[in-house]
Amino acid sequence: DLATALNDRGQIKYFRVEFAAAMEDYTAAIQCQPAFEVPYYNRGLVLYRLGCFDEAVKDFRKVLELNPQFEDAALSLKQAILDKEEKQKRGY
């Protein structure tokens, strides 16, 4: 389906370190199929790598709302929160 195709294309762009283009595809996949948790997770990973912890946390929480058993999302959520706190401690 289209949402899966967009997500997969986003993955290719992610691996090419084309983060902005990957995020566009993940967002398009989400718009296409809002209950598909994987593009939220993938977009969250990009946001995390870019240091946009608040936005990453939102996406990881959405994944867990849609699929509470998504263990990688739970781990990524914890890490994003920890890294955000560490960033704040350092005054960034």
Side-chain angles (χ1 to χ4, degrees):
D1 68 74
L2 181 58
T4 301
L6 288 164
N7 181 72
D8 291 349
R9 188 173 74 178
Q11 282 295 92
I12 292 165
K13 292 174 182 176
Y14 175 79
F15 291 129
R16 291 181 181 163
V17 195
E18 298 170 5
F19 292 149
M23 283 188 29
E24 287 177 14
D25 282 343
Y26 297 142
T27 300
I30 290 164
Q31 290 168 341
C32 203
Q33 191 176 334
F36 184 25
E37 74 272 20
V38 176
Y40 288 101
Y41 175 71
N42 291 331
R43 187 174 68 181
L45 290 177
V46 174
L47 290 163
Y48 173 83
R49 290 200 54 187
L50 294 173
C52 302
F53 299 122
D54 289 334
E55 293 89 345
V57 164
K58 283 182 195 169
D59 275 351
F60 295 142
R61 284 190 171 136
K62 182 65 177 179
V63 172
L64 293 170
E65 177 187 312
L66 293 168
N67 179 359
Q69 307 306 314
F70 200 126
E71 289 182 28
D72 286 344
L75 292 170
S76 296
L77 174 62
K78 287 178 189 170
Q79 193 60 54
I81 290 169
L82 287 171
D83 288 354
K84 178 186 173 187
E85 290 169 357
E86 187 62 33
K87 185 178 176 182
Q88 288 172 333
K89 283 181 196 169
R90 293 182 180 175
Y92 290 113

